[in-house]
Amino acid sequence: MAFDADEEILQDFLVEAGEILEKLSEQLVDLEQHPDDSDLLNAIFRGFHTVKGGAGFLQLEALVNCCHSAENVFDTLRNHKRKVDSELMDVVLEALDNVNAMFEEVRNHEEPTPAPDELIARLDALALPEGEGAPVADPQPEHEENEPSEDGGDITDDEFEQLLDALQDEKSEEQAPASDSGASSGDREGSGDDEITDDEFEALLDQLHGKGQFAGAPAGEDEAVRKEEKPAAKAEGGGSDDLITDDEFEKLLDDLHGKGGSPTAGGESSTPKKPAGAKEPSAPKEPSAAKEPPAPKEPAKPKAEAPKPGKPETKGAATPAMPAREHAPAAETTVRVDTKRLDDIMNMVGELVLVRNRLQRLGAESEDEHMHKAVSNLDVVTTDLQSAVMQTRMQPIKKVFGRFPRVVRDLARNLKKEVNLVMHGEDTDLDKNLVEALSDPLVHLVRNSVDHGIEAPEVREKAGKPRQGTVTLSAEQEGDHILLFIEDDGAGMDPEVLRRKAVEKGIYDQDAADRLTDSECFNLIFAAGFSTKEQISDVSGRGVGMDVVKTKIGQLNGQLSIESQLGKGSRIVIKVPLTLAIMPTLMIMLGDQSFALPLVNVVEIFHLDLTKTNIVDGRECIVVREKVFPLFHIKRWLVRDGTSQEVPENAHVVIVAMGTKQVGFVVDQLVGQEEVVIKPLGRALQGTPGMAGATITGDGRIALIIDVPSLLQHYG
């Protein structure tokens, strides 16, 4: 690979090819569900072709070879010479995995490892028409030529060369004497690596059309051949890489379609004209066709010639092609920005929010009306700016969802199950950092639904269900939070089995397990080392996946909840904030120190007479609306000498939630709701239990942000 190539070109290739490869994974799985979708086949063909083109420019031979073999398979498929089946998709997906691996090596500035020879051989075998040992030559150009009209005129260099060769072959069947010189000239034009001029290109078109209509008149043949061979000879020494301009290519397409849409059609339509019009013995018109090519100053010549062989169809073919050329490409409306710049802007907006909060506090203390108006205007502008900057960091959750069709497809084939994945709300936007952070937890949950949730086809049939199970993945926005749902119509979870497993694993004793509600039983699957699988496999059984999910969602200040019905299926709900940069919090006071509780964890607040608490299993509890909540005096954990201070008779209690578990925190004072910018703790304080970071409050003081799950895990 030419790693010394322009770094900017390499980066452009990495971005463009990366987007194409992400889309290909989704399109290939979609193709298996809709094997007759010609638009999808063409899109996949173009995807491999585009990656191959970029890789060829950068001299990535290994990547070019693999993409080229895959491209040939889809060329055969879109020409309806082979049908899509699961075995073919297995090979193509394996090829895509190899392409992705090579792409990552290129991203790391390493030489890509070639795909295995066995894989390339299998791809090449699939590129052959079904049931035949070699590609069929005659019908192929017909499809090749028809295809550009479906694709908007986008054909490859190889297809273009095949098209020219096919035209020459068609003419040679009708005229033996003229085919010798004409075919050799056409071969040089089609397969050589020379750049041709406008004059030579027009000469080639006239040469093709002239021979197609008038089958080699004996009288003028020698003179016509001599005149036609002159431009062909020039073409051989004219350039180095077979390039033609867009306008020239459009002219060729118009003329070819005018001839009837394909070489075969053109040949057939010209054959009956000869005996009918008795044009064969007349020589004068053959030289006239040959004399016209040297006129370079009239670009309309080929278009004027075309009506003769093509009859009225030429105008119909030319009309749709011209408007496409008239429209100039629209100006770019997007720009690529390094994410570090966005992070810097977000940090500055965060600082602005802190200043806004400070001014609001000062404005509230002032009686100056003009000060109030200025602070109010600043508040509006800052809020709009904050929203706009957050939007620049937003990405559709489709970037996460896009990988799941492949995950489900591969896992279902591995487990010999029939599973259909349905996705909703893919355009829901959330912070870029959250998109990346949610990827692994969602993979665990989707794999869990396919493995644990969906039953085998035979079992589903016995239960009166369709053989194919359904996993539904959906997302929606609710206020400043995102809700994610992972549902399946499988076997559901049995609370009694979960209770028994909890006792066997030593997580609860029998009495405690019997007191667990169904909802608490379902949440046992998130306990470390807990699994309902009897046998450990490469998919599940070790009891680590769901534990990782709970930890990760907790780190994102998110919540998890599970609903399940035996025999009907299960549903897991994830609730995460839209962004991690700016967080709405409830400001509280413990002694004379400020703390911030993430608002996502806060359920309700009330005033409590602390003399009316109860002791259950040695832990202080309160009963609110017939629900029991454990009570914690967090001042004893977070404030120096907090344990030695007397407990007041009355206090504020904040009920906080982590998943389905809810507890009460006793606090000294409630300050109010405030949006804060999370600042990471310094190196000396990193990893402090119960602390997620720090912020600056509206009165200029530093407040620590409480990490509720970590706080309870360490102290509770």
Side-chain angles (χ1 to χ4, degrees), residues 588 590 595 597 632-638 656 658 663 665 688-692 705-716:
I588 60 173
L590 300 175
F595 291 89
L597 270 171
F632 297 100
H633 296 263
I634 58 175
K635 183 178 178 180
R636 298 172 185 172
W637 300 340
L638 303 177
V656 296
M658 303 156 303
V663 300
F665 286 166
T688 304
M691 295 298 123
I705 301 170
I706 295 175
D707 180 356
V708 176
S710 169
L711 187 75
L712 287 174
Q713 186 176 355
H714 187 266
Y715 294 106

Side-chain angles (χ1 to χ4, degrees), residues 506-621:
I507 298 173
Y508 288 103
D509 58 28
Q510 189 63 53
D511 290 341
D514 290 340
R515 290 200 300 269
L516 292 174
T517 64
D518 287 355
S519 180
E520 289 170 334
C521 287
F522 299 148
N523 278 278
L524 286 171
I525 67 171
F526 294 116
F530 188 90
S531 177
T532 56
K533 268 293 182 77
E534 300 295 339
Q535 293 181 340
I536 294 175
S537 69
D538 58 347
V539 178
S540 62
R542 298 185 184 278
V544 291
M546 302 302 275
D547 179 35
V548 170
V549 169
K550 183 181 178 184
T551 304
K552 193 70 176 178
I553 298 299
Q555 291 171 353
L556 300 175
N557 295 313
Q559 296 180 348
L560 269 171
S561 61
I562 302 180
E563 305 161 13
S564 185
Q565 195 173 349
L566 190 61
K568 297 290 181 67
S570 303
R571 182 191 201 201
I572 298 177
V573 183
I574 300 175
K575 184 178 182 181
V576 291
L578 270 174
T579 178
L580 299 176
I582 296 177
M583 179 190 296
T585 63
L586 174 67
M587 301 300 296
I588 60 173
M589 298 290 291
L590 300 175
D592 59 352
Q593 295 183 29
S594 298
F595 291 89
L597 270 171
L599 211 57
V600 65
N601 296 118
V602 176
V603 178
E604 61 177 313
I605 305 166
F606 53 84
H607 194 68
L608 178 69
D609 182 352
L610 293 179
T611 60
K612 297 182 178 179
T613 59
N614 303 289
I615 304 297
V616 178
D617 290 341
R619 179 172 291 171
E620 192 173 8
C621 298

Side-chain angles (χ1 to χ4, degrees), residues 417 448-456 459-460 463 465 469-471 486-498 518 521-523 525 530 532-533 562-572:
K417 294 182 179 181
N448 200 65
S449 291
V450 175
D451 186 22
H452 289 273
I454 304 295
E455 314 96 322
V459 176
R460 290 179 64 85
K465 296 181 179 180
T470 302
V471 174
I486 301 96
E487 304 175 62
D488 65 71
D489 63 350
M493 289 188 275
D494 187 345
E496 293 305 320
V497 172
L498 295 170
D518 287 355
C521 287
F522 299 148
N523 278 278
I525 67 171
F530 188 90
T532 56
K533 268 293 182 77
I562 302 180
E563 305 161 13
S564 185
Q565 195 173 349
L566 190 61
K568 297 290 181 67
S570 303
R571 182 191 201 201
I572 298 177

Side-chain angles (χ1 to χ4, degrees), residues 85-388:
D85 55 35
S86 297
E87 287 70 24
L88 180 144
M89 291 307 300
D90 285 341
V91 177
V92 173
L93 287 169
E94 186 182 341
L96 181 64
D97 289 341
N98 277 272
V99 170
N100 279 318
M102 287 186 263
F103 182 74
E104 285 304 315
E105 290 174 330
V106 174
R107 194 194 295 275
N108 298 328
H109 285 73
E110 301 170 4
E111 194 67 30
T113 306
D117 293 339
E118 181 191 350
L119 175 63
I120 299 296
R122 283 191 288 164
L123 285 171
D124 292 342
L126 290 171
L128 300 176
E130 197 163 13
E132 296 185 24
V136 180
D138 290 339
Q140 185 172 348
E142 193 171 328
H143 290 301
E144 292 290 353
E145 189 183 352
N146 287 341
E147 202 58 53
S149 63
E150 297 171 13
D151 273 12
D154 183 13
I155 65 172
T156 65
D157 295 343
D158 293 341
E159 294 168 336
F160 182 62
E161 290 171 13
Q162 289 172 2
L163 192 58
L164 293 179
D165 294 341
L167 286 169
Q168 293 294 344
D169 294 342
E170 192 68 42
K171 309 304 174 286
S172 66
E173 291 175 7
E174 296 175 3
Q175 50 173 43
S179 65
D180 295 335
S181 59
S184 64
S185 171
D187 286 344
R188 286 199 297 273
E189 293 292 346
S191 60
D193 288 334
D194 295 337
E195 186 174 344
I196 61 175
T197 65
D198 294 348
D199 300 343
E200 293 162 352
F201 187 74
E202 290 176 13
L204 172 64
L205 290 180
D206 290 337
Q207 169 195 345
L208 292 174
H209 294 313
K211 286 180 181 288
Q213 183 175 3
F214 307 102
E221 182 182 26
D222 293 339
E223 183 184 350
V225 169
R226 278 199 304 274
K227 289 193 181 255
E228 286 159 4
E229 282 188 344
K230 282 180 186 175
K234 284 185 198 171
E236 286 193 358
S240 61
D241 52 351
D242 196 16
L243 294 176
I244 62 172
T245 67
D246 292 345
D247 293 337
E248 293 166 347
F249 186 64
E250 284 293 329
K251 290 173 187 174
L252 175 62
L253 286 181
D254 293 342
D255 291 336
L256 292 176
H257 290 313
K259 290 177 69 177
S262 72
T264 308
E268 287 169 358
S269 63
S270 60
T271 304
K273 283 179 72 176
K274 281 175 266 179
K279 299 279 183 190
E280 212 163 333
S282 112
K285 290 203 177 179
E286 176 76 21
S288 72
K291 281 177 189 172
E292 286 181 23
K297 305 221 166 135
E298 294 178 37
K301 279 257 184 223
K303 302 243 176 184
E305 282 301 318
K308 292 181 187 175
K311 294 170 113 181
E313 287 184 20
T314 307
K315 292 248 174 197
T319 307
M322 291 309 291
R325 289 276 142 215
E326 286 170 7
H327 293 305
E332 284 195 36
T333 57
T334 59
V335 61
R336 287 198 180 105
V337 179
D338 188 350
T339 52
K340 187 180 182 304
R341 291 189 183 182
L342 292 179
D343 292 339
D344 291 342
I345 295 172
M346 195 69 196
N347 287 336
M348 288 186 278
V349 169
E351 297 294 340
L352 189 60
V353 169
L354 295 178
V355 174
R356 188 266 319 262
N357 293 346
R358 178 79 173 131
L359 286 174
Q360 280 182 321
R361 187 71 65 89
L362 294 173
E365 297 170 1
S366 169
E367 296 180 0
D368 188 341
E369 184 180 346
H370 295 293
M371 169 72 92
H372 280 288
K373 283 186 178 178
V375 171
S376 178
N377 288 341
L378 178 66
D379 182 28
V380 172
V381 172
T382 306
T383 303
D384 289 346
L385 179 61
Q386 177 186 331
S387 174

